[in-house]
Every structure is written in structure tokens, then in C-alpha cells.
Amino acid sequence: MNYIIGVDSGGTKTEATAFSLEGEPLEQCITGFGNPLVDYDIAVRNIKKALQTIFSACGKDCKLVVIGLAGVDSSGQKERLESEFSFLKVPIMLINDGKLAHLSILKGKEGILAISGTGSLVLGYQTSQWLRVGGWGHLLGDEGSAYDIAKKAIQRVLFEEDSGQTYSELSVSIMNYLQVTDVLSLVKIAYQLNKGEFSKLAAVVGKLSTTNELARGILIKSAEDLAKQTIILINKMGNPQKRISIGINGSVIEKNQLFRKAFFTYLSDNNVKVQECEKTEPTTKGAYYLFKEGWQNK
Amino acid sequence: MNYIIGVDSGGTKTEATAFSLEGEPLEQCITGFGNPLVDYDIAVRNIKKALQTIFSACGKDCKLVVIGLAGVDSSGQKERLESEFSFLKVPIMLINDGKLAHLSILKGKEGILAISGTGSLVLGYQTSQWLRVGGWGHLLGDEGSAYDIAKKAIQRVLFEEDSGQTYSELSVSIMNYLQVTDVLSLVKIAYQLNKGEFSKLAAVVGKLSTTNELARGILIKSAEDLAKQTIILINKMGNPQKRISIGINGSVIEKNQLFRKAFFTYLSDNNVKVQECEKTEPTTKGAYYLFKEGWQNK
């Protein structure tokens, strides 16, 4: 039977799912991490293993494999990765993981996906074209991400130190979480943490935000920064008066209600007519929608 | 004859100078880089070599050695470094390089030193106490530094890309300087550059600023951010109505007239009464002023 495969390759696991041409899930395989930026050889091996398991179960009539991978547009590894899978003798598309999520959540239709996890990105799809705003990484952008929230929280501690204030409840929570008692140690640790560890501080802010005004303010500011980028994208897409489908993806915006509400409130306060799209299917199903919408033209 | 030694240990050279107790320079020795964060062993060797050269020339009556070192407060290496020089059997003080510059430029008196080079810091000295604002490094602070200016310039390119604008003259200059033609390559290179290389982009902004409004705007914004930190420090020091001595140090604020003017204009626009202190002596002379003002109490 004819089928297509979607692969969601992440930093912790690789999920491959086969879908019938009617969009029904047929087979699924989960292997280890599939991000080549973490370890190229192991990631490729995990993706291959997942694909071969599906092929064994579903047979030779695979029409398309779509692999969603973080940073594939900018890593310079796209061609090398494509050649890794060419032995499979089926059409392979490697796309940014955000695009796969967009296709899945918006079901292949036009609209915007606002992503806020460790990093952030606003991704638009219109007249078979992809458009983006933000997502330039932790040094240059990623406004409205967990990293951004964590950074704002540490900068608040430093501001209180700089201005000679008593530490606020937020600052005390940040310092307790990192098990430090002075800002020099705080800064030293902050520079030693990797991006993922650093971003976990956002959870401290999220937890406090129900009762603490400073934490609440940081979350709202971050959500509004993401909304501002969404408005830049809407303007770039033209026709800002039109009702626009907007989906959301990523731990921060999916799980933090305050952040999510502040994001959509800012949009409606700025006259954006929103059609909210709920996430109802696995990310891998983006491959099915891409096939259905005519992947050959992308 | 009695004398004291000041050592300015930098990332490219180590400069040691002996001063008489009247502040006259007696002997000078320049060796290689003296920043232990670059290479601990070589830095220590270069500092020792400089000190021993001075000792050989000036004899045994050295009363104090003051070594100014970047990041010595936060590196966790202070005690280890002090023990490296203990065999010299003279009192040794290891202080932050900013403090040595403050002592030299403000001649040991109370006031503020605003530093803007690759990084930034505002440093105050009052009633024998040091106070600081900012200087938390490129991820968390360093507002008004070359790094900050470079980052703002790249973010301007990304904003133009995000909003679908034609690249401005500033963006074209940045991309030409980095020899790239698209923003994905620009971002990739930006993440590969080290802090020093990244910060060199500030010179592109500086060069353009005489004719280009965007470049001018970035420099002024950065200078005002440094001035805002200075005002936070002034408030922390109490008595903000008092005329305050302010010196400047670092390539950005010393060499860029527009930046320097914007810095002092912002202060006077915000009712700060400034006594500008010119840099008239080498940084190493900070050691002499520290001795004169009673270093034992610091």
C-alpha cells in the first residue's frame, strides 16, 4: 500500500510515523536523538534505524519521506544529510523542524506558527511560500523564548544588585535555584550553563508568576515580544486586515497559560484577527499534509 | 630608594612601571600578555619577568606591587595568583584592571570611571569603597560596549530581513565587512566569531556614523545606555546633587567623539553635574595613587 513517512528528529528522540494517503497512521517507530548538531553519526544512525523499521513493516511503496530537523536551513549539512538517505531510493525532503510542526498544526494550510521553547521563531506559510521572523538564536534574537525569559530574570537580579536594592522574591528564587548566595557566583554559573540548562530558569519564573508581579511582568513582556514579531510577519505577508490562522508550538507558549494569554491579547489589542489552531495531531503528520498539498512545488 | 610598582596586565601586553614615593616614574618594563584567562602559565611568567626586571633595576626597597587584571574578582584565581608572587616578599595587591584605571585617571580621588571597550563597566570609588554597575559580560550586560554596538548593528540587519525591507547602507556595510551576501551566512559567522572579533563590527558602525543616521542612532543609544548605568551608580553613591568627577576609559568612549558627546550630553540632560577627568598618565600610575591614599585600608 502507498504511504508516506514523517520524521520528527529532536534533541532527545526521533519519532517516525507512516501515514496512509488518507492520513491514517499505519506504523510508528521511536529511536534515540536525531539532531545532527548534537552528534552527527549517532543522529543519522537513529534516523536510519527508525526509517528502516517502518520500511520493513510497511513495504516498498513509500511515496515520500519528510524529515523535520532543527537548524537544517543554516547548518550547512543539508546536502550531506540528503545523501545519507539517498540509498533508500524514495523522495526525501529535509525541512526545518518548525516547518514540519507548522504543516501538522495548520494542516498544510496558510497561516502562522508561533514557536516558543528554548528558542523562538515565527513562521508563516502563504501561497506555497515560507516566511520567517526571528529565530536568530540566543545571542541575536529568540525574543519570547525560555532563554529570553531566563535572561530577563537574571538581568533583574543584576539590576537589583546594581541599584543597591534588597533582593526581590524573584531574585531570591533564582539564586536559590542555582544554589548561590551572591551575584558574582550567579554570573559565573550563568556563563557556564549550556543553553538548555540556562533556559530552565524560565520554569522558576513561570512557577512564581501566579503570585509574583515581577515574574508576571517578565512573562508578559516576553509574550508581547513574540507577538510583536508575529505582527512584523503579518505585515510582511500583506493584507493584515484578513483573519489569520495562528498555531502555537513549544513548551513555553503551550504550557504557560499567562504567556499564551498575553500573546493572543497583545495581538487582538493590535487589531489582529486571529483564528486559533489547536494542536490535535503529532508533528510527524506534517509530512502527510505536505504530500497532500503538493510537496513537489515546495 | 623606596618605590612602588604598578602592573597593567592586558590581553596583548603587560606593562610594569616603578614610581618613586613622589610619583615619578623610575623604570618601565613591557612583556607579553598578562591575562591569566588567556593562558595562566604564560601570563604569570610574563608578569614575573616584568617584575623581576624592575626589581633588578630599582633594588629591594619596593613598598607595594599593584597588579591590575581583567576579571580578577570573578575568576576565582585571585588567591592562586597571589601565591604565585608571594616569593617576591613584598606586599602584593591584585585588583580589577578597571580599578587600576580608575585610580590612575581620577588620581586616587572619589568619583566614577565609565569604561567602554570590548566590554563595559561603570566603577565608583567613595569613602574608601568600590561600587560598580554593569560589566556583567556580553550575555547579560555590557551595555554601551563595542560588543553591544556590534550586536545592535547585526540585529538591525536581521530586523530589515524580518520585515522584508531593502537592506540599508548600514546593513550592506556590515555584510560587506563580513564578506557575506545573505543573512543566514551572516548569522552563522556571527556565532563563530569570538568576542573580540565580533566587537570589531563596532568600528564599521563608528566609521559610518558621521554620514549615516542608523549608525549614528546605534552609537547614541549605546552611549545613553552607559550613561543610564552611570546614573544608577550615582544614585547608589547617594547625594546625586553633588558635582561628581567622571573619567572615561576604553577604545569606544575615548576614540569615538559622537559616543563620548552623547554620553556626557545624556548626563547633563539628566541634571548630573559633571567634572570631567582627563586621562593624563599611564594606567600603572594607579598603583602610586593607591599607595598614597593608604592602600592598607582598601
Side-chain angles (χ1 to χ4, degrees):
Chain A
M1 122 182 242
N2 291 331
Y3 67 99
I4 56 116
I5 303 177
V7 183
D8 184 14
S9 295
T12 53
K13 65 168 183 172
T14 298
E15 184 180 328
T17 312
F19 296 93
S20 71
L21 300 194
E22 290 73 42
E24 292 303 312
L26 302 173
E27 201 71 42
Q28 193 192 45
C29 178
I30 291 173
T31 59
F33 75 83
N35 185 341
L37 302 174
V38 179
D39 184 308
Y40 185 89
D41 291 335
I42 299 177
V44 166
R45 200 161 68 216
N46 286 334
I47 297 171
K48 279 184 184 168
K49 193 175 155 196
L51 286 173
Q52 281 166 329
T53 306
I54 303 271
F55 285 140
S56 300
C58 299
K60 62 176 179 47
D61 296 327
C62 179
K63 297 295 162 194
L64 177 65
V65 173
V66 183
I67 305 175
L69 271 172
V72 76
D73 297 329
S74 53
S75 68
Q77 294 185 325
K78 193 169 179 173
E79 287 180 15
R80 183 177 171 203
L81 280 163
E82 279 169 345
S83 72
E84 296 281 0
F85 305 112
S86 60
F87 76 98
L88 296 167
K89 308 220 178 301
V90 287
I92 303 267
M93 282 188 83
L94 269 97
I95 63 176
N96 182 287
D97 57 342
K99 290 183 184 172
L100 191 67
H102 187 298
L103 289 160
S104 158
I105 295 169
L106 283 95
K107 302 184 192 304
K109 303 299 179 194
E110 294 188 347
I112 287 174
L113 186 68
I115 303 168
S116 168
T118 302
S120 73
L121 175 65
V122 192
L123 202 54
Y125 182 63
Q126 184 175 263
T127 57
S128 295
Q129 270 203 320
W130 291 102
L131 294 159
R132 62 175 275 176
V133 167
W136 301 114
H138 67 296
L139 287 183
L140 301 169
D142 281 358
E143 295 85 350
S145 66
Y147 187 93
D148 181 41
I149 293 165
K151 187 170 77 173
K152 284 185 168 74
I154 293 184
Q155 286 175 328
R156 173 69 206 186
V157 186
L158 299 177
F159 171 76
E160 290 171 6
E161 172 75 18
D162 277 343
S163 48
Q165 295 178 31
T166 313
Y167 293 141
S168 62
E169 186 191 6
L170 173 66
S171 294
V172 171
S173 301
I174 294 289
M175 291 168 87
N176 284 346
Y177 178 83
L178 293 175
Q179 299 182 293
V180 295
T181 51
D182 65 284
V183 294
L184 282 181
S185 308
L186 171 72
V187 169
K188 199 170 168 186
I189 284 188
Y191 277 90
Q192 286 164 349
L193 297 176
N194 67 35
K195 214 161 108 173
E197 292 163 343
F198 187 99
S199 302
K200 281 187 182 153
L201 281 173
V204 180
V205 183
K207 204 172 161 189
L208 260 188
S209 65
T210 49
T211 55
N212 181 285
E213 268 310 304
L214 280 174
R216 198 179 155 78
I218 287 174
L219 279 185
I220 291 175
K221 171 74 173 65
S222 239
E224 291 183 350
D225 285 347
L226 191 67
K228 281 176 197 167
Q229 297 205 297
T230 306
I231 291 174
I232 293 174
L233 181 57
I234 290 170
N235 289 327
K236 189 155 80 167
M237 289 165 83
N239 200 358
Q241 304 313 317
K242 195 173 73 174
R243 182 168 297 273
I244 188 138
S245 299
I246 298 184
I248 56 170
N249 199 41
S251 55
V252 175
I253 195 164
E254 286 184 66
K255 291 182 189 160
N256 190 292
Q257 294 307 315
L258 174 64
F259 186 100
R260 182 184 174 146
K261 186 157 176 272
F263 173 77
F264 282 113
T265 301
Y266 188 91
L267 291 179
S268 70
D269 287 351
N270 285 275
N271 307 315
V272 177
K273 287 190 278 295
V274 175
Q275 172 72 48
E276 280 189 51
C277 296
E278 291 301 318
K279 190 191 235 178
T280 56
E281 300 175 306
T283 302
T284 50
K285 196 162 176 184
Y288 160 74
Y289 290 111
L290 185 60
F291 182 81
K292 202 175 136 191
E293 298 293 320
W295 61 277
Q296 298 89 339
N297 310 321
K298 308 303 180 239
Chain B
M1 130 181 233
N2 291 332
Y3 66 99
I4 57 114
I5 302 178
V7 183
D8 184 13
S9 295
T12 52
K13 66 168 183 171
T14 299
E15 184 181 329
T17 311
F19 296 92
S20 71
L21 299 194
E22 289 73 43
E24 291 304 312
L26 300 173
E27 200 71 41
Q28 192 192 45
C29 177
I30 292 173
T31 59
F33 75 83
N35 186 340
L37 303 172
V38 179
D39 185 308
Y40 185 90
D41 290 336
I42 299 177
V44 167
R45 200 161 67 218
N46 286 332
I47 298 170
K48 279 185 185 168
K49 192 174 153 197
L51 286 173
Q52 281 166 330
T53 305
I54 304 269
F55 285 139
S56 299
C58 299
K60 63 176 178 50
D61 296 327
C62 180
K63 297 295 161 193
L64 176 67
V65 173
V66 183
I67 305 175
L69 271 172
V72 76
D73 298 329
S74 53
S75 67
Q77 294 184 328
K78 194 169 178 175
E79 287 179 17
R80 185 177 168 202
L81 280 163
E82 279 170 344
S83 72
E84 296 281 0
F85 305 113
S86 59
F87 76 97
L88 295 168
K89 308 220 178 300
V90 286
I92 303 266
M93 283 188 82
L94 268 96
I95 63 176
N96 182 286
D97 57 341
K99 290 183 184 173
L100 191 65
H102 186 299
L103 289 161
S104 157
I105 294 169
L106 282 94
K107 302 187 193 300
K109 301 299 178 194
E110 295 190 345
I112 287 174
L113 185 68
I115 302 168
S116 168
T118 302
S120 73
L121 174 65
V122 191
L123 201 54
Y125 182 64
Q126 184 175 263
T127 56
S128 295
Q129 270 204 318
W130 290 101
L131 294 159
R132 60 176 275 177
V133 167
W136 302 113
H138 68 296
L139 288 182
L140 300 169
D142 280 357
E143 296 85 348
S145 66
Y147 188 93
D148 182 41
I149 293 165
K151 187 169 78 174
K152 283 185 167 75
I154 293 184
Q155 286 176 327
R156 173 68 206 187
V157 185
L158 299 177
F159 171 77
E160 290 171 7
E161 173 76 19
D162 278 345
S163 50
Q165 296 178 30
T166 313
Y167 293 140
S168 62
E169 187 192 6
L170 173 66
S171 294
V172 171
S173 302
I174 294 289
M175 292 169 85
N176 285 346
Y177 178 82
L178 292 175
Q179 298 183 295
V180 295
T181 52
D182 65 285
V183 293
L184 282 182
S185 308
L186 170 71
V187 169
K188 201 171 168 186
I189 285 187
Y191 277 90
Q192 287 164 350
L193 297 176
N194 66 36
K195 217 160 103 172
E197 292 163 342
F198 188 100
S199 302
K200 282 189 182 152
L201 282 172
V204 179
V205 183
K207 203 172 162 189
L208 260 186
S209 64
T210 49
T211 55
N212 182 284
E213 269 309 306
L214 282 173
R216 199 179 152 80
I218 287 173
L219 279 186
I220 291 175
K221 172 76 173 65
S222 238
E224 291 182 350
D225 286 348
L226 190 67
K228 280 177 196 167
Q229 298 206 298
T230 306
I231 291 174
I232 293 173
L233 181 58
I234 289 170
N235 288 327
K236 190 156 77 167
M237 288 164 83
N239 199 357
Q241 305 312 317
K242 195 175 72 175
R243 180 167 300 271
I244 187 140
S245 299
I246 298 185
I248 56 171
N249 199 40
S251 55
V252 175
I253 195 164
E254 285 184 66
K255 292 184 189 157
N256 191 292
Q257 293 308 315
L258 174 63
F259 186 101
R260 182 183 174 146
K261 186 156 176 273
F263 172 78
F264 283 113
T265 301
Y266 189 91
L267 290 179
S268 71
D269 286 352
N270 284 275
N271 306 315
V272 178
K273 287 190 279 295
V274 176
Q275 171 73 48
E276 281 190 51
C277 297
E278 292 301 319
K279 191 191 234 179
T280 55
E281 300 177 302
T283 302
T284 49
K285 196 162 175 185
Y288 160 74
Y289 290 111
L290 185 59
F291 182 82
K292 202 175 135 192
E293 297 294 319
W295 62 276
Q296 298 90 336
N297 309 320
K298 308 302 181 239

